[in-house]
Amino acid sequence: MNWISLLSMPYWIAAAGILGLLVGSFLNVVILRLPARLQHGWQREAKAILAEASGMAETPAEADIDAPPGIVREPSHCPNCKHPLAARDNIPVLSWLLLRGRCRYCKSPISPQYPLVEALTALLSAIVMAHFGPTLQGAAALLFTWVLVAASGIDLRTQLLPDQLTQPLLWLGLLLSLAPLWVSPASAILGATLGYLSLWSVYWAFRLLTGKEGMGYGDFKLLAALGAWMGTGALLPIVLISSIVGALVGSLYLWLSRKGHGVPIPFGPYLATAGWIWLLAGHALTHWYLGYFLHG
């Protein structure tokens, strides 16, 4: 990076933060609407199969009854009173603060998820730009970050990691390896394959031993996507970091909520957190680890 780029870095970081706020607002829509759209689609498919089996065709009008709003076309509205939101009600973070967390029209509470996702996306975007700068790596890392935020939000709410997010992330990682931005194509392909098979093996071993499902298939696909971006060398650190963070946060959650140990806790957000950390700081953490244990 030349000196001109260094002088302009504060502006790039600020621009990435502002862009992150706007993208975070859209990610809220994805987090809230994508699972509902998926569930509606599954119900339509099930009804169509049952209707075909019984010899009764379902009309398009019947299929679209109670369809949830689309992700892009339908404007934002209050989930309680359904009133469309004006532009002044859609300013990331600021609108929620000015409205004191309540709808302007029906005064019902607005979930703090909205400003939290917006602020988190802005912060992570600014950190990515500060680390990679205005480069192809920086642009790719921003996309990587935004998909992980959306996937984590959905998993926390519904314990679902949609293929609509994990699969494009996987293929994008494989395509970027042709540049290559982080790893070679061979490492990306092996990382995706071993990432999927490693958790798949753990899943089936746990199921055979206990008769229970310890994780979902979405976790396999997410780790495969992370392997495609960062290669085989990142898989073990990502699993270790996510397991440690998951154990600590999960134990704290169970203690604070007073819930039993049988409560399912989504693993996707911890994988996403570990993957994001490793993309930005993997080399630094590796050098620190080797220096600490070999020379410490």
Side-chain angles (χ1 to χ4, degrees), residues 193-260:
T193 304
L194 294 177
Y196 186 93
L197 291 178
S198 60
L199 290 188
W200 179 87
S201 302
V202 172
Y203 167 88
W204 279 107
F206 184 82
R207 185 170 183 176
L208 290 173
L209 290 173
T210 66
K212 301 177 182 179
E213 295 185 359
M215 63 182 67
Y217 276 67
D219 297 321
F220 316 162
K221 298 170 186 177
L222 179 56
L223 186 57
L226 298 178
W229 278 73
M230 290 169 277
T232 54
L235 293 176
L236 183 57
I238 287 174
V239 171
L240 289 176
I241 294 173
S242 59
S243 299
I244 293 172
V245 175
L248 295 175
V249 175
S251 299
L252 180 62
Y253 168 76
L254 293 175
W255 180 71
L256 293 175
S257 62
R258 307 292 183 182
K259 294 182 179 180

Side-chain angles (χ1 to χ4, degrees), residues 7-261:
L7 290 177
S8 63
M9 273 305 296
Y11 301 101
W12 282 107
I13 294 172
I18 294 172
L19 179 61
L21 283 174
L22 299 176
V23 172
S25 182
F26 174 72
L27 294 184
N28 271 316
V29 176
V30 174
I31 292 169
L32 293 172
R33 295 186 184 182
L34 180 56
R37 296 289 299 180
L38 292 175
Q39 184 176 6
H40 178 71
W42 298 331
Q43 291 173 343
R44 284 187 59 180
E45 292 175 5
K47 289 179 180 179
I49 294 172
L50 293 174
E52 183 178 355
S54 62
M56 298 175 60
E58 185 182 23
T59 65
E62 291 174 337
D64 289 333
I65 293 177
D66 297 328
I71 295 176
V72 177
R73 293 184 178 179
E74 281 80 357
S76 299
H77 59 271
C78 172
N80 184 60
C81 67
K82 310 302 180 184
H83 194 289
L85 300 182
R88 60 178 177 171
D89 301 324
N90 270 325
I91 304 173
V93 180
L94 184 60
S95 291
W96 190 88
L97 294 174
L98 293 176
L99 292 171
R100 298 182 180 180
R102 292 190 174 274
C103 173
R104 182 186 302 276
Y105 308 99
C106 67
K107 306 304 179 183
S108 61
I110 302 173
S111 172
Q113 171 193 311
Y114 292 96
L116 288 176
V117 169
E118 292 162 354
L120 176 63
T121 307
L123 176 62
L124 297 182
S125 299
I127 293 174
V128 164
M129 183 57 63
H131 183 79
F132 291 110
T135 62
L136 184 56
Q137 276 192 333
L142 285 175
L143 287 174
F144 179 82
T145 300
W146 298 338
V147 174
L148 291 185
V149 170
S152 299
I154 291 174
D155 201 17
L156 284 171
R157 287 178 57 89
T158 65
Q159 296 182 21
L160 172 71
L161 280 173
D163 288 349
Q164 287 78 357
L165 295 178
T166 57
Q167 296 305 296
L169 191 67
L170 167 64
W171 289 111
L172 181 58
L174 293 175
L175 288 173
L176 291 175
S177 71
L178 297 175
L181 288 189
W182 283 282
V183 295
S184 66
S187 184
I189 294 171
L190 284 175
T193 304
L194 294 177
Y196 186 93
L197 291 178
S198 60
L199 290 188
W200 179 87
S201 302
V202 172
Y203 167 88
W204 279 107
F206 184 82
R207 185 170 183 176
L208 290 173
L209 290 173
T210 66
K212 301 177 182 179
E213 295 185 359
M215 63 182 67
Y217 276 67
D219 297 321
F220 316 162
K221 298 170 186 177
L222 179 56
L223 186 57
L226 298 178
W229 278 73
M230 290 169 277
T232 54
L235 293 176
L236 183 57
I238 287 174
V239 171
L240 289 176
I241 294 173
S242 59
S243 299
I244 293 172
V245 175
L248 295 175
V249 175
S251 299
L252 180 62
Y253 168 76
L254 293 175
W255 180 71
L256 293 175
S257 62
R258 307 292 183 182
K259 294 182 179 180
H261 292 282

Side-chain angles (χ1 to χ4, degrees), residues 1-7:
M1 189 181 300
N2 56 40
W3 65 272
I4 297 178
S5 298
L6 289 174
L7 290 177

